[in-house]
Structures are given as structure tokens and as C-alpha cells.
């Protein structure tokens, strides 16, 4: 069975030496001393390794089942969920007012990666609840907050988001679910939603669905969509769980992966619902949840890559195959271990350099959220809004690719289910699709985010890179990192300029290059955090760090990314500048 160990040492390096969280003036960051965060991450790691990891295979093999209208989760999930709740993990970064611990998002994100790496399907139950609670926190009335948030933050009740219908996914303006207003101010919600993760299960006393629906007589299309709180069980006057609402599970989807999570078809038959936020402004409220979820999905791409990589390294060191071409390394055995071979090293270095760079990128993104929410930093808000589609699209695309590389290390054994490597690949695959397929993320990035705020966030990003390169450029020890970063940043600027000049004349030129732009942007972000990581590692060595091997390994991995991965920006720029002519050359009937 595959194993998983929380990467707490690398997390500590990013938190305290790269991001320097405990030195920040962001409210709450003064609590993030290394001893404190280390203790939190260690305890999360124990729960992940001892409880969640063994259930990962169980969830994959058993899946969820629907019997007589009741959804049952895999063996052991319910007990593990009780441990999660008892430990207070579900409210780690939620407000104390409603029972949370009010920790910053940057720590919650690190803990989330640990749990997701151990068992993605399980972790989705509390992850989706967190997102639904965030939407109620941001858009709910005081009464709604008091009614739902304490029990959702504790996960006594869980939550979902209901967007997709059989005939509409991305184009939500086509939805047919209706919400008829009632005299008491409530609504009767009717319709069908599909692909609802954690739609129903046996681990909580109630499920609080956030459902997009149209109020009759409202504007056409997306402008007529509103968001509703629709509980599985209606509440009594004292707030306790009452009679069953008009909500039922039509089916549990049979999926490629995340079998341990109950992905449901949800039927609403005049179910009682309550408007969340403003009428006909449902997408504004839903995007609070969706943007959080997109960062959570980015985390899943990283987490599955980390889990797969850990097992691939173990296998590469143990499996004997062939001899090192430069000389025998295992003279007492019939062959040398796989890890001596350059192509295996290439694969492992691709994985390692992505994973550690992605972790720094993701935690930097979480830090920007804290700067925005806790310190009211508008520049941070603009930057994280710009980078959200990059985080989601790039980290899940690359994360999936890395699980494939890890599986490939095993050769034929990676294709055999009992070795567990295929589960990482299957579970990672959904991250490229849900919460907005990655093609849509790329369109959002180029079509909306680049021009947001008059282009101020992207220009601020370029200036940040430029200032860092200028500051570090005179240090010869940083040349291996600064020069490649300068080149990659110029490629990103050139691609943005192409969109401005050519895309205005022919919008297809911009749209045809959007996916490459998302990846180009992602590589530059990883190049930037790798350069910052290299700076931190050099500083540690100059200051006499005791763990010399850790920092030298960090520098070697940074050099690999700069030399072998970052040059992909030139390829993406060439594709972008080729325009849309070859993409759009065929008529529809020619396909």
C-alpha cells in the first residue's frame, strides 16, 4: 500500500525562510512562530499518516453507495471524520466568533495540503463545507450566519455548492432550476443538479446546499441567477434539525477517481430555500466559494503530485534494474537501483522541482489572501485575483503530469492497481476539470484578469519581478537564478503585448493563445519563487545553518528548474505569437 509523510520540513522552509510569515505585520502572523507552526503541521501529519492515508485505498476500492435514499461513505470514513472534527481541524482558519480558531489562510493551506495528500476524496467533505461557510460568512444575514456557521465550521453540518445541470456547466445562464417566492420570504426550489461533490453522506447531521436557481420574472441569462441556502433537513424554531426537506439523491456518479467522495445527482422538488445575498446576484456570492475552491483544487494538484513522488522515490531506490553506465553501484546485487539511471533522475527532478516550487507558489498565494482579507491590501487582492486561474490551471495540469511520471517510474507495476500508483493519477485528473475546466481558467485569465483594474495587477507583477532581479542581480551566487527569470519574464511581457496589439484586431489570436499564456505565467511564477527560495537557501548557508545538505539540495533543485523547466516559456511564447490562423484553419465539418 502506498505511504505518505507530510512534507513539514519543506513547508517550514517556505513559511519562515521564503515568505518570512512570522516577521510580517499582517494581523495574526505574529502568532506564526516556527515552534507553533511546526507543532500544528506535525499533528496534522500524524493524523494524515496514521488515519487518512490507510483509508485512501479503502475509499478508492469501496466507493460510496446509495441504499434506499441514504448515502453511505466507505468503511472508516465516519470515524475518521469524527477525529477530524474533535481535533478542531475543520475550523482552523475560520472566525472565532463562530467556533473557529482564526488562524491565517497560509497555515490553513499548508494543513490542507497535508490532508489532501493523504486522502483527497475524504478531505473534500470538509473542504467544500469550508467554502460554503465562507460564502455565508461573506454574503449572509446576521441570522443566517448565527444559524448555520457554528455547526458548519465544526462540521456537525456539512456544505455543498450546486451549479451544474445536465444541459449546462460553464454557461450557467442556461440553467432551469427555479425558485418560486413564498409569502413567508422563503422560496420553493425545484430542479436537478449534477456532479455535486459530497452531495450527501452519513457523516453529518445535516447538509447545507448552496444552490443556484432563477427566480421567475428575473433577467435572462446569468444576470437572472440567484443563490439559495437549501438544507437537507429543515430547521425547527430552536435551530435543531427537523423534517426532511424536498431534497433527494437521484444517483451517485461512477467516476474515474475520488471514489471515496460521494458525487451526487441532486433532485430538488419544491425544497424550502432561503436567498443568500442579493436577488439576481447569485454569481457574485457563488464566486466567493468558487474562488476559494479553485485555490483548494490547485492544492489538490500539488498534493497528489507530492504523494505520488514520495512513493516513486522509494521504488526507484529499491527496484534493481540494469547497471549504471558509468560503473557498477551495487556490486553485491544482480543490478543497480533504478535511481542511478539519468532518465529516472530526470523524471524525479521534474517532479521534485515542480512540487517544491508549486508549494511555494501556493503558500505565497495564501499569504496574498491574508494580506487582502486581514490587512486590507488592495494590491494583494488584485494580484491574487490575477493569479487564481494560474494557480488552478497550471498546478493541476502539471500536478497530473507529475503523477503520470511517478507512475511511469514503476513501469508495468505502476499500471497494476495493487501498487496504488494509478489512484494518484486518477484522483489528480478531476482537478483539471472541476471548479472551472482549465481551458475556462485560461480564457478567464486572458479575457478578464489581464485587463482588470486597467492592467494594474499584471503591471505590478512585472515590476515586482524587475525589482527583485535588480536587487539580487549584483550577487554572483544568484546569477543561475536571476538570468533565467529575467528571460522568462520578458517572454511573459512579450506575450501580453501580443494580446494587446493583435488580440484587439482579432480576438481569436488572444483566445487561441490563452492556454499557453496560462502555462507561461505559471512557469514564471515558479521561477520567481524558486529564485526567492534560492536566496533563502544561500542566506541560511552563509549564516552557518546546521542542515547544510537540505539547503544545498534546495539550490540544486532550483538550478534544475531554471535550466530544464523554465525554458518552456520560449515555446509557449512562440505558440502564442503564431496566432489563431492554424488553430482555426479547418471548417467544423473537416474535423
Amino acid at each position: 500500500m502506498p505511504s505518505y509523510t507530510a512534507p513539514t520540513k519543506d513547508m517550514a522552509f517556505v513559511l519562515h525562510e521564503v515568505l518570512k510569515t512570522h516577521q510580517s505585520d499582517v494581523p495574526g502572523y505574529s502568532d506564526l512562530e516556527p515552534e507553533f507552526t511546526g507543532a500544528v503541521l506535525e499533528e496534522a501529519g500524524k493524523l494524515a499518516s496514521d488515519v487518512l492515508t490507510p483509508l485512501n485505498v479503502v475509499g478508492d476500492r469501496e466507493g460510496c453507495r446509495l441504499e434506499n435514499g441514504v448515502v453511505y461513505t466507505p468503511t472508516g470514513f465516519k470515524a475518521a471524520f469524527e477525529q477530524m472534527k474533535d481535533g478542531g481541524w475543520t475550523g482552523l482558519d475560520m472566525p472565532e466568533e463562530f467556533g473557529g480558531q482564526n488562524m491565517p489562510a497560509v497555515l490553513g493551506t499548508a494543513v490542507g495540503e497535508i490532508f489532501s495528500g493523504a486522502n483527497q476524496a475524504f478531505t473534500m467533505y470538509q473542504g467544500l463545507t469550508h467554502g460554503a461557510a465562507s460564502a455565508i460568512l461573506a454574503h449572509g444575514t446576521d441570522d443566517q450566519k448565527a444559524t448555520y456557521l457554528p455547526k458548519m465550521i465544526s462540521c456537525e453540518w456539512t456544505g455543498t455548492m450546486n451549479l451544474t445541470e445536465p444541459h449546462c456547466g460553464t454557461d450557467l445562464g442556461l440553467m432551469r432550476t427555479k425558485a418560486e417566492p413564498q409569502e413567508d420570504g422563503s422560496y420553493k426550489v425545484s430542479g436537478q443538479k449534477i456532479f455535486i461533490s459530497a452531495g450527501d453522506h452519513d457523516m453529518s447531521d445535516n447538509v447545507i446546499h448552496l444552490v443556484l436557481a432563477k427566480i421567475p420574472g428575473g433577467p435572462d441569462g446569468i444576470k437572472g441567477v440567484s443563490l439559495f441556502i437549501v438544507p437537507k433537513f429543515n430547521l425547527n424554531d430552536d435551530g435543531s434539525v427537523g423534517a426532511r426537506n424536498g431534497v433527494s439523491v437521484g444517483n451517485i456518479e461512477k467516476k474515474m477517481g475520488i471514489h471515496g467522495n460521494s458525487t451526487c445527482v441532486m433532485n430538488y422538488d419544491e425544497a424550502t430555500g432561503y436567498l443568500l445575498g442579493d436577488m439576481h446576484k447569485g454569481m457574485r456570492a457563488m464566486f466567493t466559494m468558487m474562488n476559494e475552491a479553485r485555490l483548494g483544487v490547485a492544492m489538490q494538484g500539488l498534493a497528489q503530485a507530492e504523494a505520488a513522488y514520495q512513493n516513486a522515490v522509494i521504488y526507484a531506490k529499491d527496484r534493481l534494474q540494469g547497471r549504471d553506465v558509468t560503473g557498477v553501484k551495487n556490486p553485491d546485487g544482480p543490478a543497480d537501483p533504478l535511481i542511478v539511471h539519468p532518465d529516472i533522475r530526470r523524471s524525479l527532478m521534474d517532479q521534485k522541482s515542480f512540487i517544491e516550487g508549486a508549494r511555494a507558489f501556493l503558500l505565497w498565494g495564501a499569504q496574498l489572501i491574508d494580506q487582502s482579507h486581514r490587512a486590507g491590501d488592495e494590491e494583494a487582492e488584485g494580484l491574487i485575483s490575477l493569479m487564481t486561474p494560474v494557480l488552478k490551471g497550471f498546478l493541476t495540469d502539471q500536478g497530473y503530469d507529475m503523477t503520470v511520471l511517478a507512475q511511469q517510474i514503476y513501469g508495468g507495476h505502476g499500471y497494476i492497481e495493487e501498487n496504488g500508483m494509478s489512484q494518484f493519477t486518477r484522483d489528480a485528473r478531476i482537478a483539471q476539470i472541476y471548479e472551472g475546466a482549465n481551458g475556462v481558467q485560461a480564457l478567464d485569465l486572458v479575457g478578464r484578469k489581464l485587463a482588470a483594474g486597467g492592467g494594474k495587477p499584471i503591471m505590478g507583477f512585472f515590476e515586482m519581478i524587475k525589482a527583485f532581479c535588480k536587487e539580487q542581480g549584483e550577487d554572483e551566487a544568484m546569477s543561475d537564478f536571476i538570468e533565467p527569470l529575467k528571460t522568462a519574464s520578458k517572454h511573459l511581457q512579450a506575450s501580453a503585448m501580443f494580446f494587446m496589439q493583435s488580440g484587439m484586431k482579432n480576438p481569436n489570436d488572444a483566445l487561441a493563445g490563452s492556454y499557453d499564456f496560462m502555462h507561461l505565467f505559471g512557469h514564471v511564477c515558479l521561477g520567481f519563487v524558486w529564485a526567492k527560495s534560492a536566496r533563502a537557501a544561500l542566506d541560511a548557508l552563509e549564516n552557518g545553518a546546521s542542515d547544510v545538505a537540505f539547503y544545498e539540495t534546495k539550490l540544486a533543485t532550483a538550478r534544475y528548474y531554471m535550466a530544464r523547466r523554465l525554458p518552456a516559456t520560449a515555446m509557449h511564447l512562440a505558440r502564442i505569437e503564431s496566432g489563431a490562423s492554424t488553430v482555426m484553419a479547418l471548417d467544423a465539418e473537416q474535423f
Side-chain angles (χ1 to χ4, degrees):
M1 183 175 71
S3 62
Y4 175 78
T5 301
T8 54
K9 187 168 186 176
D10 196 57
M11 288 177 172
F13 169 75
V14 176
L15 289 172
H16 300 296
E17 298 182 67
V18 180
L19 300 180
K20 302 183 186 300
T21 52
H22 62 293
Q23 299 174 22
S24 170
D25 59 1
V26 173
Y29 271 39
S30 60
D31 295 330
L32 301 183
E33 291 290 341
E35 294 79 7
F36 173 73
T37 59
V40 172
L41 296 177
E42 182 181 356
E43 287 304 311
K46 290 178 181 177
L47 180 61
S49 297
D50 297 344
V51 178
L52 302 187
T53 298
L55 292 177
N56 199 34
V57 172
V58 175
D60 186 56
R61 293 178 178 172
E62 288 189 13
C64 298
R65 68 186 194 278
L66 175 63
E67 294 181 0
N68 300 318
V70 179
V71 174
Y72 296 94
T73 50
T75 302
F77 269 45
K78 192 170 184 178
F81 203 62
E82 290 301 315
Q83 287 185 253
M84 185 70 67
K85 292 189 291 185
D86 290 345
W89 295 106
T90 60
L92 187 68
D93 57 358
M94 296 299 278
E96 288 181 288
E97 178 185 358
F98 301 108
Q101 299 181 49
N102 204 36
M103 289 291 105
V106 72
L107 183 59
T109 300
V111 169
E113 186 206 325
I114 291 173
F115 292 154
S116 188
N119 193 325
Q120 177 176 325
F122 175 90
T123 304
M124 289 171 64
Y125 290 99
Q126 68 255 32
L128 286 156
T129 305
H130 189 290
S134 294
I136 295 173
L137 182 65
H139 303 282
T141 65
D142 289 343
D143 183 60
Q144 287 173 337
K145 293 176 188 178
T147 299
Y148 297 104
L149 289 182
K151 292 188 177 182
M152 292 179 72
I153 287 173
S154 69
C155 274
E156 183 178 341
W157 299 348
T158 56
T160 71
M161 56 192 299
N162 286 235
L163 290 79
T164 307
E165 299 182 8
H167 58 283
C168 71
T170 300
D171 191 355
L172 291 169
L174 298 175
M175 72 174 57
R176 297 171 184 161
T177 300
K178 300 296 183 184
E180 297 279 355
Q182 305 298 300
E183 291 184 2
D184 63 356
S186 67
Y187 292 78
K188 292 298 184 184
V189 178
S190 297
Q192 185 180 78
K193 299 290 185 177
I194 64 171
F195 305 155
I196 309 306
S197 300
D200 197 59
H201 54 86
D202 58 349
M203 300 192 300
S204 66
D205 296 335
N206 205 352
V207 181
I208 310 304
H209 301 287
L210 298 192
V211 184
L212 286 177
K214 289 184 175 181
I215 300 172
D220 293 334
I222 200 67
K223 293 182 179 180
V225 172
S226 300
L227 184 61
F228 299 88
I229 298 173
V230 185
K232 174 182 176 180
F233 292 100
N234 287 313
L235 304 183
N236 297 318
D237 291 340
D238 62 358
S240 62
V241 172
R244 181 70 183 252
N245 203 357
V247 183
S248 62
V249 178
N251 190 27
I252 297 179
E253 304 286 6
K254 302 297 188 291
K255 310 185 297 293
M256 176 180 176
I258 55 169
H259 297 155
N261 196 270
S262 52
T263 305
C264 298
V265 174
M266 301 300 302
N267 296 320
Y268 295 88
D269 184 11
E270 295 192 342
T272 299
Y274 306 92
L275 184 67
L276 177 60
D278 297 329
M279 186 181 298
H280 310 317
K281 301 294 184 183
M283 290 309 296
R284 178 187 301 172
M286 182 58 83
F287 266 113
T288 297
M289 185 174 183
M290 288 182 66
N291 284 331
E292 178 180 312
R294 285 170 179 172
L295 295 174
V297 172
M299 178 184 69
Q300 291 177 350
L302 160 63
Q304 293 308 298
E306 168 70 40
Y309 166 74
Q310 288 186 17
N311 287 277
V313 169
I314 294 170
Y315 190 82
K317 290 179 178 180
D318 290 344
R319 176 74 167 176
L320 303 181
Q321 290 288 285
R323 290 294 189 187
D324 188 334
V325 295
T326 64
V328 173
K329 295 297 188 293
N330 180 32
D332 295 329
D336 290 330
L338 280 173
I339 202 166
V340 305
H341 304 300
D343 192 60
I344 297 295
R345 293 291 187 95
R346 171 201 58 80
S347 176
L348 292 174
M349 286 299 289
D350 277 355
Q351 295 168 60
K352 181 177 176 63
S353 64
F354 164 74
I355 290 163
E356 294 179 15
R359 179 171 297 118
F361 183 21
L362 183 69
L363 292 177
W364 174 36
Q367 185 181 49
L368 290 172
I369 292 173
D370 285 329
Q371 289 173 339
S372 171
H373 292 177
R374 289 172 171 257
D377 187 333
E378 292 184 2
E379 289 187 12
E381 182 178 0
L383 187 53
I384 189 57
S385 178
L386 171 69
M387 295 197 307
T388 292
V390 182
L391 280 157
K392 196 279 184 184
F394 184 69
L395 295 197
T396 58
D397 277 349
Q398 293 284 303
Y400 173 77
D401 288 347
M402 297 307 151
T403 66
V404 173
L405 289 179
Q407 185 184 30
Q408 190 78 5
I409 297 279
Y410 278 66
H413 293 286
Y415 201 66
I416 303 301
E417 287 293 343
E418 68 182 72
N419 292 311
M421 294 305 289
S422 78
Q423 185 185 350
F424 299 128
T425 301
R426 290 184 286 103
D427 286 356
R429 183 65 182 90
I430 185 59
Q432 297 171 284
I433 299 172
Y434 59 13
E435 307 306 340
N438 285 355
V440 176
Q441 301 299 321
L443 295 179
D444 177 52
L445 174 63
V446 171
R448 295 178 62 245
K449 298 300 176 62
L450 279 184
K456 186 177 179 180
I458 186 66
M459 295 307 297
F461 178 81
F462 290 143
E463 285 301 315
M464 181 173 54
I465 299 289
K466 182 179 179 181
F468 178 80
C469 290
K470 183 178 181 180
E471 176 188 340
Q472 300 295 327
E474 296 181 1
D475 187 345
E476 183 63 29
M478 286 291 290
S479 61
D480 288 348
F481 316 106
I482 297 303
E483 293 307 315
L485 178 58
K486 283 182 181 178
T487 300
S489 181
K490 289 176 182 177
H491 292 160
L492 185 63
Q493 293 177 60
S495 63
M497 185 62 67
F498 174 81
F499 290 152
M500 291 174 59
Q501 294 175 343
S502 183
M504 296 294 289
K505 301 173 186 176
N506 179 10
N508 279 343
D509 278 346
L511 300 181
S514 62
Y515 212 94
D516 279 286
F517 184 80
M518 180 177 71
H519 275 253
L520 200 168
F521 203 156
H523 277 297
V524 172
C525 287
L526 258 66
F528 178 50
V529 295
W530 263 122
K532 289 176 72 69
S533 297
R535 177 71 273 166
L538 287 168
D539 289 344
L541 291 171
E542 290 171 5
N543 292 328
S546 59
D547 193 351
V548 173
F550 175 84
Y551 295 106
E552 289 182 343
T553 300
K554 185 65 69 174
L555 288 169
T557 309
R559 290 190 182 95
Y560 181 90
Y561 195 88
M562 295 299 185
R564 299 281 302 213
R565 303 288 294 171
L566 195 55
T569 59
M571 174 193 70
H572 290 302
L573 175 60
R575 289 175 174 176
I576 289 167
E577 291 182 336
S578 72
S581 58
T582 55
V583 175
M584 306 301 291
L586 300 182
D587 293 331
E589 60 270 15
Q590 291 179 284
F591 283 93

